[in-house]
Amino acid sequence: MTLAIVLAAGAPAAGLPTSTGEHLDVRLADQWRRAGADTVRTVADLGELADLLDAVTGPVVVSGADLVAHTAVLKHLRTSPVGPTVALVLTDPPADGRVAVREERGQVVDAGPGLADATGVFGGALRVGAGDLPALAAAARAAATQPAAGPAVDRLFAALTALGTLTFAHRVRLLVAHRVGDTDGLRAAETELSGVDEDRTELRLSVKERDDFFTTYFVSTWSPYVTKACARIGLGPTAVTMVSVLFAAAAAVLFAVGGRPALVAGGVLLYLGFVLDCVDGQLARYTRHFSAWGGWLDTMADRAKEYLVYAGLGFGATAAGFRYGWALAIAAMTLQTVRHMTDAWYGVLHDEAARRPRPAAGAGSGIGGMLNAASTKVQADTGSVSYWLKRTVVFPIGERWALIALTAALFGPTVSLVAVLVWGTLAFAYTGALRTLRARWMWVPVLDTVDATLHRDDGPLAARLPVLRPVGPLTLAVFGALGPAVLLVVALVAADGGDAGGLRRWLPVALLVLLVGGLGAGAAHNGPLDWLVPAALRAGEYLFAITVGVIGGAPAWLVFGYVFVLTLHHYDLTARLEKRQAAPPLHAWTLGWEGRSVLLALAAIAGFAGIGLATLGTYLLVVFVASVVLTWVVLPARAARATAVPVGGGSPG
């Protein structure tokens, strides 16, 4: 249930007659109803607004009465999936007294009249999530005590920003939105509004404003037609996601079968599957059908599809006579997952840094400051060679799928996996080096802002290990990963001579080194590079599981399957991190990275490495599926029943 509030205070334009006869504030209230608001109220002043908010429990949209906008703009603001609290931001030149906005990575980091380095101007409307309503009420009361200069909605937004509320920016593209102050401005805005072809514009808006090179020029040039066709036949985003999974699975099977016709067909199916992977997001934006479930499923499906393709390539390379086909697939999956862990944590780090910028005196100092300025300059130069090189060199998903499709079709599975590993390694080195320099400059203790134990994926054993305080958590995590890495290299060399099993006695040593990573679990993760800790722990656990498989003589496909299940668990944690959600319902049952490693070591020492991998992998998959069902089916159903009002009126109980 969404409440829309039109705040008329300080907006003389509210009483201007529109081209259809009614006053501007009346038309705006009607537009909010057509944009999906369940209730619309017109409020005279900020004090009345604060009192009203005290009784509200659901999301609220607040707008000034001087806004002339297409109804679709209001609908987009109300349904925006980027965060609970979102502000409309325009590119209009700031008028006297209007609130200017400075954004970084889509977040409003500062707002106020006469703001230096402004990137836009407040559009006079914002949506506030239920959790931020107390802050909005406090902002309304604080703004009510200030001199009444300018529209009340501007003072309200500036006060909300000053309270530190995390607010995302919703920029207006292609559609029309302006704030007006007189009849001439109103007529000019209405004339511009009348020239908008809503459906055509909505379809263009379904495509991301900034995407990667391959997606921009080889997918988004025609995928909107598929998007519109899906909307016409009533196909939803989730259904499109599942069809894209089927396409990727079929491509994986064809890559496994081998033979030129099958490889070419697999490449074509993989490309079409990627097109559908873009269409599901475009369809969600076109129809405005967003859901937490859909976002989570899209994230998990992307990784599952890619790793299924790696499995098909690994099987195909092995069947074609290459001994290490599965090893390449395991390496590609491990590398990509560790990369994604660093991507996710660096994103959180960057967001935190944007909200807490460094003092102006040090803003451009040092190599980190220069890199930050250079990156901002390149990103602003949209369409230039440097812009596309920066977006392509990091090996995004579109480029990965294009590389896999082309190399598999032209050269075969082995070359495809090698190409993925080479480009992926170079991209990892490039992004890792630059991000490390920039992170040292930003110096934001990002792990102090979230549940570090959860996102480290610590289990009960790590919680009971002593804390080695003189050494930082990152140093311990990296050192812990070195033990399995060294033993794995030795085991692979020994496997060529057929004697990897003789290294079983070294598994306890590698395990003890790995467990060193747990000695930092209870320490503060406030170093400039501690955002790398979760990725280092992932690398250590995966390398140890692979080492157990090699030394224990487990089939390579079984090792791949076990690591694949681990990636599902860890991507679930990553998706929750990005949304700042709580732990999965059955997280304690996953035993933690150290608990799983201990069980695998015991199984391998006893001579049952394959059985241990299969049993523990199956167990973790069952826990994962059960957690998904609880999260998205059982718990929401219980919450719905708990809040349901009995038929016939009255309150429960």
Side-chain angles (χ1 to χ4, degrees):
M1 301 290 287
T2 302
L3 168 66
I5 299 172
V6 178
L7 184 56
L16 292 177
T18 65
S19 58
T20 53
E22 75 270 49
H23 288 173
L24 182 55
D25 58 344
V26 175
R27 186 177 71 178
L28 186 59
D30 181 62
Q31 283 185 288
W32 278 119
R33 294 186 184 92
R34 288 185 279 128
D38 301 285
T39 307
V40 181
R41 294 278 300 272
T42 299
V43 174
D45 55 53
L46 290 168
E48 182 183 351
L49 172 64
D51 294 338
L52 176 61
L53 291 172
D54 289 337
V56 177
T57 58
V60 170
V61 288
V62 181
S63 66
D66 58 355
L67 178 61
V68 178
H70 199 286
T71 303
V73 171
L74 307 183
K75 184 177 181 180
H76 290 183
L77 178 66
R78 187 187 68 81
T79 59
S80 175
V82 297
T85 299
V86 188
L88 190 67
V89 176
L90 309 178
T91 56
D92 295 356
D96 292 340
R98 293 289 169 84
V99 172
V101 171
R102 183 165 63 85
E103 316 157 49
E104 286 194 30
R105 285 176 54 87
Q107 296 183 52
V108 175
V109 296
D110 201 1
L115 182 67
D117 301 325
T119 56
V121 62
F122 176 51
L126 67 156
R127 185 196 71 200
V128 181
D132 289 333
L133 289 181
L136 183 64
R141 292 188 170 94
T145 63
Q146 299 172 356
V153 70
D154 285 5
R155 289 182 280 127
L156 174 68
F157 177 63
L160 183 66
T161 304
L163 290 175
T165 304
L166 176 58
T167 304
F168 293 87
H170 178 80
R171 281 189 165 269
V172 177
R173 289 196 300 130
L174 304 179
L175 293 168
V176 175
H178 297 292
R179 300 181 69 181
V180 300
D182 52 33
T183 302
D184 291 341
L186 174 60
R187 295 293 174 259
E190 288 183 324
T191 300
E192 188 178 350
L193 199 66
S194 64
V196 175
D197 183 333
E198 180 177 355
D199 185 68
R200 184 177 180 181
T201 302
E202 289 275 38
L203 194 59
R204 290 177 61 191
L205 286 171
S206 70
V207 178
K208 289 182 180 179
E209 183 178 8
R210 291 189 176 189
D211 219 325
D212 303 313
F213 183 83
F214 180 79
T215 306
T216 299
Y217 291 105
F218 295 94
V219 176
S220 296
T221 50
W222 66 280
S223 60
Y225 300 106
V226 181
T227 298
K228 189 165 186 176
C230 290
R232 282 182 174 176
I233 64 177
L235 207 59
T238 298
V240 174
T241 298
M242 300 314 297
V243 174
S244 73
V245 171
L246 293 177
F247 272 57
V253 170
L254 290 170
F255 291 151
V257 169
R260 191 60 55 200
L263 293 174
V264 172
V268 172
L269 283 178
L270 190 61
Y271 168 66
L272 295 177
F274 180 66
V275 172
L276 291 177
D277 185 48
C278 297
V279 167
D280 61 4
Q282 293 173 6
L283 185 60
R285 290 184 286 273
Y286 182 55
T287 60
R288 308 309 293 177
H289 288 163
F290 301 110
S291 69
W293 157 252
W296 179 89
L297 180 64
D298 184 55
T299 298
M300 301 301 292
D302 282 351
R303 302 288 73 77
K305 288 183 295 185
E306 184 171 357
Y307 296 164
L308 281 176
V309 169
Y310 289 172
L313 293 170
F315 185 95
T318 304
F322 184 68
R323 180 179 176 183
Y324 300 106
W326 277 109
L328 291 178
I330 294 169
M333 177 170 60
T334 301
L335 172 66
Q336 197 56 49
T337 302
V338 173
R339 277 195 64 202
H340 279 144
M341 297 299 112
T342 62
D343 290 345
W345 277 101
Y346 184 77
V348 176
L349 169 76
H350 209 300
D351 288 345
E352 289 292 336
R355 296 182 64 195
R356 297 181 290 173
R358 293 168 65 88
S365 61
I367 190 170
M370 290 187 289
L371 287 172
N372 193 56
S375 177
T376 301
K377 182 179 179 180
V378 170
Q379 290 291 351
D381 192 11
T382 307
S384 67
V385 173
S386 58
Y387 172 84
W388 287 122
L389 283 175
K390 179 177 175 59
R391 295 194 70 93
T392 303
V393 72
V394 298
F395 205 25
I397 185 170
E399 276 65 15
R400 290 200 304 275
W401 283 48
L403 181 68
I404 292 170
L406 286 173
T407 53
L410 296 175
F411 306 108
T414 302
V415 173
S416 187
L417 285 171
V418 170
V420 168
L421 278 168
V422 171
W423 194 345
T425 301
L426 294 174
F428 196 13
Y430 166 77
T431 57
L434 293 184
R435 288 173 176 177
T436 296
L437 292 172
R438 294 180 69 184
R440 290 186 65 85
W441 168 73
M442 288 185 281
W443 199 285
V444 178
V446 63
L447 287 181
D448 284 357
T449 67
V450 296
D451 185 350
T453 299
L454 169 64
H455 295 293
R456 283 173 51 102
D457 195 22
D458 291 326
L461 179 58
R464 290 170 173 78
L465 290 174
V467 179
L468 192 59
R469 297 191 183 279
V471 183
L474 178 60
T475 301
L476 294 171
V478 171
F479 180 80
L482 288 177
V486 171
L487 186 56
L488 177 59
V489 171
V490 175
L492 290 173
V493 173
D496 281 335
D499 192 30
L503 296 171
R504 192 177 303 164
R505 64 183 180 276
W506 290 99
L507 276 173
V509 177
L511 176 64
L512 288 175
V513 174
L514 176 64
L515 292 179
V516 168
L519 297 178
H525 290 61
N526 54 11
L529 301 182
D530 283 348
W531 54 277
L532 289 166
V533 168
L537 293 175
R538 299 297 83 78
E541 181 181 6
Y542 295 171
L543 290 172
F544 187 78
I546 297 167
T547 304
V548 166
V550 173
I551 292 177
W557 60 264
L558 179 58
V559 178
F560 182 96
Y562 178 78
V563 176
F564 177 72
V565 173
L566 283 183
T567 65
L568 293 179
H569 166 61
H570 288 135
Y571 276 114
D572 185 26
L573 292 182
T574 300
R576 291 172 179 275
L577 165 71
E578 292 172 344
K579 299 297 183 183
R580 298 300 177 97
Q581 294 175 338
L586 301 178
H587 180 68
W589 291 75
T590 61
L591 309 176
W593 61 271
E594 79 289 356
R596 296 187 293 266
S597 299
V598 168
L599 290 178
L600 286 184
L602 293 175
I605 292 170
F608 303 108
I611 294 175
L613 287 166
T615 303
L616 185 55
T618 302
Y619 167 78
L620 292 173
L621 183 60
V622 170
V623 171
F624 172 76
V625 172
S627 183
V628 171
V629 172
L630 283 172
T631 300
W632 301 108
V633 179
V634 177
L635 296 180
R638 288 179 181 174
R641 287 196 299 270
T643 57
V645 177
V647 176
S651 59

